[in-house]
Amino acid sequence: MEELIGLELNDKNGFFYVSVDGKQEAKMTFVFAGNDKIIIDHTEVNPGNYGKGFGKKMIIKAVEFAREKNITIIPLCPFAKSVFDKNPEYRDVL
């Protein structure tokens, strides 16, 4: 099983994703808010993949992206907000 956590971007928005053996199994969408913020607005995981940690893996990828680009994250998505609330080590990007 080959698992990939990736990022797709365009000028206004983008998404983090998890693909397994070339098939996208999870997606976390965001929009840019100016030049220094992203707003995570939705997370979805395909049925059959719950409990595999895909959501948290996408959050980790988002945190790495935010740190690398020196931007902040606004987690409007309830799932993303709950992960940030439970993991103080990611709060430096909020």
Side-chain angles (χ1 to χ4, degrees):
M1 179 175 93
E2 184 183 350
E3 186 178 290
L4 171 71
I5 295 94
L7 167 63
E8 292 283 330
L9 282 174
N10 68 37
D11 291 343
K12 295 182 173 45
N13 57 33
F15 62 91
F16 300 95
Y17 64 89
V18 177
S19 70
V20 178
D21 296 330
K23 181 177 185 286
Q24 187 175 294
E25 296 291 351
K27 184 176 185 178
M28 177 179 293
T29 60
F30 65 88
V31 296
F32 285 100
N35 294 324
D36 61 348
K37 290 183 183 72
I38 62 170
I39 299 169
I40 297 175
D41 55 8
H42 183 71
T43 304
E44 61 186 62
V45 176
N46 290 353
N49 290 298
Y50 304 126
K52 293 183 179 178
F54 289 171
K56 186 159 184 193
K57 289 176 182 180
M58 291 186 293
I59 290 285
I60 291 168
K61 187 79 168 177
V63 169
E64 290 169 358
F65 174 73
R67 288 174 179 158
E68 178 185 313
K69 300 293 184 188
N70 199 27
I71 60 176
T72 56
I73 296 174
I74 300 169
L76 285 187
C77 164
F79 169 79
K81 182 172 179 353
S82 75
V83 174
F84 280 105
D85 287 349
K86 292 175 191 167
N87 294 277
E89 66 271 24
Y90 303 148
R91 292 194 192 137
D92 62 298
V93 299
L94 297 179

